[in-house]
Structures are given as structure tokens and as C-alpha cells.
Amino acid sequence: MVRPARRLFLQERRRPVALDASFLEALAAVLGPRGLVTDPADLASFNAEERGLYRGEATVVARPDSTDACAEVVRLCATHGVSIVPQGGNTGLCGGAVAGANQIIVSTGRMNRVRWIDADGCRMAVDAGCVLADIQAKARDAGCLFPLSLGAEGSCQIGGNLATNAGGVGVLHYGNTRDLCLGLEVVLPDGRIWNGMRALEKDNTGYALRQLFIGSEGTLGLITGAVLKLFPAPTSTATALCGFEDLSRVTRLLSLCRSITGDDVTAFELIPRFGLEIALEHLDGLRDPLEGSHPWYALVELSTSRPGADLNEVMESLLGRAFEEEILSDAVITASLDQRASLWRLREGLPEAQKHAGASIKHDVSVPLSQVPTFIERASAAVTAACPGIRPCPFGHVGDGNIHFNLTQPKGMDKQAFLDRWEEMNRLVHDIVADLGGSISAEHGIGRLKVDEMRHYKAPLELDLMRALKTAFDPAGLMNPGVILPATTA
Amino acid sequence: MVRPARRLFLQERRRPVALDASFLEALAAVLGPRGLVTDPADLASFNAEERGLYRGEATVVARPDSTDACAEVVRLCATHGVSIVPQGGNTGLCGGAVAGANQIIVSTGRMNRVRWIDADGCRMAVDAGCVLADIQAKARDAGCLFPLSLGAEGSCQIGGNLATNAGGVGVLHYGNTRDLCLGLEVVLPDGRIWNGMRALEKDNTGYALRQLFIGSEGTLGLITGAVLKLFPAPTSTATALCGFEDLSRVTRLLSLCRSITGDDVTAFELIPRFGLEIALEHLDGLRDPLEGSHPWYALVELSTSRPGADLNEVMESLLGRAFEEEILSDAVITASLDQRASLWRLREGLPEAQKHAGASIKHDVSVPLSQVPTFIERASAAVTAACPGIRPCPFGHVGDGNIHFNLTQPKGMDKQAFLDRWEEMNRLVHDIVADLGGSISAEHGIGRLKVDEMRHYKAPLELDLMRALKTAFDPAGLMNPGVILPATTA
């Protein structure tokens, strides 16, 4: 699935000098044979893009195995005026890691050591190239929890999670990636290394540099290491799937969860009936967990590290109360780890199921929680009016006000004809988001995909401030140009 | 108590033009009679400084009553090249709100409306000049909790809390002020207004501007409004005072608290025997809560919003276990709100008690939690060797690794002779902090007081980045010059 040609990656407005022989020689000397990828077959995975919306054209991938080597590569690029696209696990959904022919990719994959772990103090220091699932496993082995969790966790890298301030299913209780990071190490655009690897809860000595690099999508510097926060491992977990007659009841259940369980709601995910149906149809080994059909479902999870807590009991009384108040139509609490895994597979499998159901136009938006039902109703009506037969599949982190408002093509429509309407659908949906005080990118970032939308929806003043920051940190404009910030002229 | 003359505020290196008549006339026209303070008697409180370390010399205080009026004042200052010192409740401890004769203070005190409150959604939007205690009360009236809590809460303003990223006693569970803010409104140095008043949990559309303004101490812009996060009000609270033989046992109790209560430890404050003694001696109506004398005490508080939770029971079993493991020497759980208030008065009264016990040299430092005992032992030994008879009073937010390492003068020593050793003591203590990977300002910020220490302890690269940010946002250098950032030449 490839979007219209103008969406393919061609080149940046500011075209860098060609990758000449002297630059490549110097690069090879720094990186050694294992650290430099130029073979077209080996380049393919670095040039691939998760959703097939872009085609990368990089001919050179640098794979430094240390912060110092990474800094040398960046310095060399600064000297030669070569622009850099940082790349972690290459799982981003907005084309932020796609490189052009005159750029090099700096891949962090070989920088994958856990530097230290302090289980008592609930801290862990890692290289940027550590795979998220490996970090989760290391934390678990030490009796702790690293709560960042998302679909790509088996291959995404923590450096990319930090660069994009990734979200996922644990944000409701544990916050975004930003909230899980205490310290950072960054190679600056001139090749200097900022050592901000602090492990402190409180440090008010100057501007929030760490916060600025987090979420800047590699445009201000290249993240090479981080100090992460861990949490005590949960001792009790309860998981349920709930069915609802309408959306307002979904948000009412969340309020009830919070008032009954205190801080123990750790996931609250929306699934529409259409999503459930395509998951049952296209994914193996799933069955409908509830009898009858319900327009909306929520996957609700409680967890705590309090010893002796029985959250299944809490969940039972919570759902009992929700029945009494006529919030719920039906619900099931999982009785085994297998059942729990099935529910999560149903939720996590929605993007995959959607691929089988035809072409999709996607949105990753957030609105204030109270506006979620209004948003979904208005946006569904707008896209249906514009494209009769379209099948909205709004799902995801409703507890954070974050909806993946994905649109499956009408049955029988030509895929490309549907995808050609991507911008049109974006405008319809994003206008409603803006009207409700929401965000057009809740957790995926901007990348290349939403740069034009930034020009449309961000206040010029805010773009001015962003440009001032970019110029202050990267005056030559060599770090991931074309990402996050629209060019000054349209 | 006044520190050596060189510490008095005299003037900035970059002396702005004098406040000429045309500027003052234009200011009066914008602000009206109630908005402009020039009478020396009325100016006194704006020129006072909390610790008496500085003497302000401002002759003009602007008190705009709206964001638009504030923006007009800032624009006027930009036009006339007049530099601005933003001031909230003027309770800061580092001289960040002290103005010179050629500067004007812009006080946010008249901008004190709660803009809206959404109790269901746990959100509240406020003007920057709202007093913290008023915000707490409004939240409480709506059945919620705004957890920021600190000694000055009766007069400090939320704008100042945000500008300094204030800490306090609730950080352990709820985070710093930064973590309690979802949206911000800022008047930029050129007088434009940035409307970042979002109420979203997730928004990944560009650089983290909000994070950058928070903690920048009024040097990048003037905060005029904020969207705050509220929390469900606690339904159960348990408070105890514990006595310990040594410091390592204090941190062991914190670990035990966390493993036994999960997320329910909401305060964990250190008090040394010396602190307890001077509090009993100098504050009215307090008595020693424990029999016998213990070198160290901790005020421990558990709280939760789970209905039906009995945290006194949890506290009892927690302390029982701590006795068994020989962590505790003695402990008492409060049995009434009055008893609880007394314990907190003991803790919150330490700075006042110290004033009665003689001159103090103060430090607000943090180290990784595991290093707290080492830090206190090493720093106490170092200052005692340099100044025999000195009485260290390390107290505060030990759960965050944040110690107010305050030093009371030796008995009988001349106050000024002791205070003359301020920088010498700072160097001794901060060297140990730096050696342990800590911060020389955990929660109070830098202000004017610690600017020289920044030059000494911050990496030049980090100062470069800070300067680049300052120049990008405030090229004319008119926003709180001399604060946070040392001048480029010594």
C-alpha cells in the first residue's frame, strides 16, 4: 500500500551535498566494517517504512556501537554538511525515520547495553538502542516493572520511544515516556555529547533540556542513553471486558473505576463492535468473550503492588455497581493468564485485523476525556457523510482521551481510490479535534506525515518558537530535516 | 540578617536605560491607578526578600489585572528596553524576584481568577496570580485534591510555583509542579501571548514548550495562566512519627513502606534530633511525640482515595514489621486530626525554629536515594571539621532524595562571622553533592543566589545550551536578567 507519489520521500528542500568519497572513507574509518551498511540488500530494512507510506532512499547506514563513535559520526556529518536521520527500531508510524539519497541513517541498534540497574532504587540506565521488550524483561527479572508498553515493543528501541515521547497502554497510570525518564545522554548536532544521565527525582538547576529533547523526533540531537524509572512489580491484576450500549456509558465507567479503586486503574481501552468483528474474522484463535452484540467495549485492567490485595474482588464489586447503575450491558472478568492474554490480543490485534479488512485512513488524536463521546459521534457522522459506507473503527486509549480514529474503506471500493482521500478525511477529523481543544497527534508524533497539518493547526506563534529552538540547537539544519517542523514557505 | 554587601542586589551587568517619563506615562495609561505602584511605602513589600539576603531597589511595580494588560506592559518594556522581574507571592528562597532600580517588577497578584474547574475530569484552569492555598481550597470544595503543598502555600502564587517548578511535601507521590501542569499561557518577551492552555493528557505535536517555560524562573517569558491536574480527594490517611538509630534505617523504612503499601506512601520527611529539639524549644504548643531520644525521625504519611481502605491498620502492620526487622526504635501513629496537625507543624516549623537558634547557612540538595546516608554523613563531617561546633540540621524530603542541609551556627559565635562563611560551606557541601551525582538545587531553583554555583558545577556545554535557549527566546535579554544563567564572563 503506497500513498500518492507526492507522499513518497523524495528530497528535502535544503539539499545537502552529495555523499562524496572522502566522507565515506572517513565514516568507514570511524565505524569499521560492521558499523557501515552500504549493501543494497542490507539497506532494505532501514529504508522500509512501517505503514508503506514512504520509501526511503538511503545508501548509507551508520551503526555506531558506542556513544563516542556516534558522536564522531555526527561530527563528521557536521563537517561535511551531511544531514542525519536517526533511526531506532524503525517502527514509527509517521515517517520520522525515512531518509533520502543524500542523507545518512544513524541507527542505534548496536548500542544496546543495559548500563546499570538499581532495583532497590527503581532506576535503570540503558543505551538508546535497547529494545523495549528487553528493558521490560530486565526490569521484570529484577522484580520491577518498566511500564511503557505498546504494540511494537518487540522491536522498537527506547531511544525512539524517547525521541517520539511514545504513549501506549500504560499511560493512564504511569504517564508517557517523558514521565518515565530521569536522565538523558544526547549527541548534539555539532557532535558534542551532553551527559544528562542524572538519576534524581528533583533537580531544579536550569532549563529543562531533557524535556526538550524528549519528543523532538531527532531534530535537536540524537539520544544515545537514558536513565529510566522503574516501579514495583504488580502483585495483583484483574482484567475485564465490558460491553456498553453507548459511548457516554464508557466514560461513566472510567469515572466509577477511579472513584472505587483509587489509583488502581492501569488500562482502559476502547474497542468498537466493528473492531471486535474484524478481529474475530481475521485473527486466529479468538472468540467473542461476551454473549450478544454490544456497540462498544472497554478492556479494563486494575493492578497494584500492594501485597495481599485481591483486585478480582474489587473488579467484581466495581462491575456489580456498574450493572446496578445501568452503565454496563455485559462484562466478563478473566479467570486465567491465558484468558487475559486473549483479551489483550484482541485489543492489540486491531491494527492487524484492519489490514485484512481493506485500506485504512488513520488518525491518532486526543480530546479532553469529557469530549470523547462527542468527538467520536461528530467525526463518524462527518466521514460517513463524505464517504458513504466508510467503516470507522475508533479504538484505543480512551482513558487518556486518545482515540485511534481509524477508517476502514467501504466494502468493494478500490483501495487506492479510498487512500486518495487521506488528506480530505484528515481535514474533516482534525477540524473537529481542533474545535474540541484536542491534539492531532496524541502519541505518534508528527514525523513527515503530519508536517503539513502542523502548518494548518499550530498557531504561527508556536511554530515561530519551535523554529527558534531548532535554529538555536541545529543552526545548519542537519538533524532530521523535514521532520516535525514545516518549512517556512509552503 | 543580611549577607555581605556583594550579595546585595545592586545592578545587572547589562544596565537598561533609565525609566524615563514617557515610559512611565505609557505604563500608567495601560495599567490605571490601581495597577501601578510607585509609592515608596507600598513598594516595600515588593522589594523585601524572604531570607533578607537581598534588598530590592525597584521604584515601579506593574500590577496588570489581565493577560492582555500584562502583555501590553511587556510590549511597552520591550519597546523602551526596560527589563522585567516577574513576581508572584515573592516567597522564593533564591532571590529570583529581586529587582534593581532600572527594572520594573511585574506582579501577578491581581490576576487571581479560577478560570474554570472540571471536577469530573480532574482539571482546573487558573490565573498565574492565584494563591496556592486558594487553589487547594477550590479543589477541595469540588471534592478533589490539588497536591502541591509547601511551607509558603498561604501566600505563594501558582505562577511562581510553575516558574520555579516548586517541590514540597507531596512530590513523592504526585511529582513536582511540572507534573501537575497540563497547559500554560505565557506572555513572551516581545509581548505576544502564547496560548498553550491545553487540558490533554497526551499531545505529541511539536517541541515541549510548556516544559521549557516551567522552571525557567521568568527568564524566557512571563507565565499568566495554567491548566492544572487535580486528583481524587483522599478517603483515608495515616500519619506516624518514627524514631531511628541511624540514617540507613530511615531509607530501609521507605523501601519497606513501598513494598508493603504499594503506591500509598504520600509523604516521607526526615527530621534530625537537633531539629526536633529546637522546634520544641522555640515553637509554641509542641511536645516530644516519642519517649526517649532518637538521632533521626521520619514523618511518614500514607493516603489513598480507595473507598473503605483503612490505612491506620496498614500503618500498624507496617510499623510492626519494621520493629521486627529492627529498623525502628520507636513510633507513634496519630489518633486525631489535631495530633496529625501537630506532627506536621513540627516538620513545617523547622525553618522558623532555626531562625531562633541562630544564623543559618542553607542548602537545598538532592542525591540518589541510596546515597542519602552517605551524603549526610560526609557533609556533616566536612562542615564540622571546617567549623567546629557547627550544628547541622539536615531535614526534609528524604523520600525524594532531597535534603535541606541547613547549618546552624556554633553556639556563641558571632552571627555575621558565621554568615561570612556561606560560600565556603556551600563549596564543601556542593562538592560532595556533585561527587555523589546529585543536584545543588533540588527544588528552590537558582535565582540570583546560586548563579555563581552554576558556573562552577554545570558543564560548560549545558550552560551553552541554556544560553542558546535564552537568546532564542529573549534576544534583548530583558526577562529577569541575572537569574538562572551566569553571565558569560566571570
Side-chain angles (χ1 to χ4, degrees), chain A residues 222-432:
Chain A
L222 200 155
I223 294 170
T224 51
V227 179
L228 305 174
K229 274 169 99 160
L230 306 179
F231 294 81
T235 50
S236 174
T237 301
T239 311
L241 188 76
C242 305
F244 305 85
E245 258 174 58
D246 61 48
L247 277 166
S248 70
R249 288 180 157 84
V250 178
T251 52
R252 278 174 63 202
L253 182 69
L254 179 60
S255 293
L256 190 67
C257 278
R258 283 186 160 141
S259 71
I260 285 189
T261 73
D263 246 0
D264 294 344
V265 203
T266 47
F268 199 97
E269 298 283 315
L270 181 70
I271 302 170
R273 177 69 199 175
F274 172 64
L276 185 83
E277 282 172 3
I278 57 174
L280 295 177
E281 184 179 345
H282 299 292
L283 305 181
D284 288 338
L286 292 179
R287 57 170 200 82
D288 194 336
L290 297 181
E291 284 173 27
S293 167
H294 310 276
W296 299 100
Y297 298 84
L299 195 170
V300 180
E301 194 157 276
L302 311 179
S303 63
T304 181
S305 61
R306 284 188 311 282
D310 180 353
L311 289 182
N312 274 317
E313 204 174 282
V314 175
M315 184 72 93
E316 274 171 35
S317 84
L318 165 70
L319 297 183
R321 173 95 171 271
F323 276 115
E324 275 168 35
E325 297 189 12
E326 298 184 356
I327 293 172
L328 276 185
S329 306
D330 195 6
V332 59
I333 302 176
T334 61
S336 70
L337 286 177
D338 274 358
Q339 285 183 6
R340 177 175 175 244
S342 283
L343 278 195
W344 275 107
R345 179 133 190 280
L346 176 61
R347 160 63 188 85
E348 300 280 20
L350 289 180
E352 191 194 332
Q354 273 200 291
K355 281 184 194 167
H356 294 284
S360 299
I361 294 174
K362 308 202 173 193
H363 304 86
D364 163 41
V365 303
S366 68
V367 292
L369 186 59
S370 60
Q371 301 294 333
V372 166
T374 305
F375 163 70
I376 292 180
E377 280 153 28
R378 278 180 61 186
S380 300
V383 298
T384 304
C387 180
I390 200 168
R391 291 170 294 168
C393 183
F395 72 94
H397 321 300
V398 59
D400 311 317
N402 176 195
I403 302 296
H404 297 309
F405 191 75
N406 289 359
L407 304 171
T408 294
Q409 63 169 83
K411 280 184 183 164
M413 186 175 179
D414 176 69
K415 277 189 178 190
Q416 195 54 50
F418 181 65
L419 291 175
D420 285 347
R421 302 184 69 172
W422 191 293
E423 276 85 3
E424 177 197 350
M425 292 296 143
N426 281 181
R427 184 57 32 94
L428 284 172
V429 173
H430 291 165
D431 275 356
I432 295 166

Side-chain angles (χ1 to χ4, degrees), chain B residues 101-183:
Chain B
N102 288 328
Q103 302 184 298
I104 73 161
I105 289 173
V106 177
S107 166
T108 47
R110 287 174 76 207
M111 300 166 58
N112 56 8
R113 288 171 311 132
V114 171
R115 299 190 188 178
W116 53 259
I117 183 162
D118 167 12
D120 260 3
C122 279
R123 305 280 183 261
M124 183 178 188
V126 297
D127 284 352
C130 286
V131 169
L132 174 52
D134 294 341
I135 293 174
Q136 294 167 343
K138 279 275 184 198
R140 206 161 36 236
D141 291 348
C144 295
L145 170 75
F146 182 62
L148 184 65
S149 176
L150 42 91
E153 62 195 27
S155 53
C156 66
Q157 296 171 13
I158 191 68
N161 299 143
L162 287 159
T164 58
N165 186 30
V169 296
V171 174
L172 186 65
H173 186 76
Y174 297 101
N176 295 287
T177 305
R178 177 184 304 289
D179 304 300
L180 306 174
C181 174
L182 291 170

Side-chain angles (χ1 to χ4, degrees), chain A residues 1 71 96 167 232 240 383 461:
Chain A
M1 184 199 332
V383 298
L461 181 151

Side-chain angles (χ1 to χ4, degrees), chain B residues 438-461:
Chain B
S439 166
I440 62 160
S441 183
E443 60 171 15
H444 295 164
I446 299 299
R448 289 179 169 76
L449 184 66
K450 294 186 183 170
V451 155
D452 287 343
E453 295 297 90
M454 285 286 274
R455 191 182 284 114
H456 195 81
Y457 292 103
K458 271 283 174 195
L461 181 151

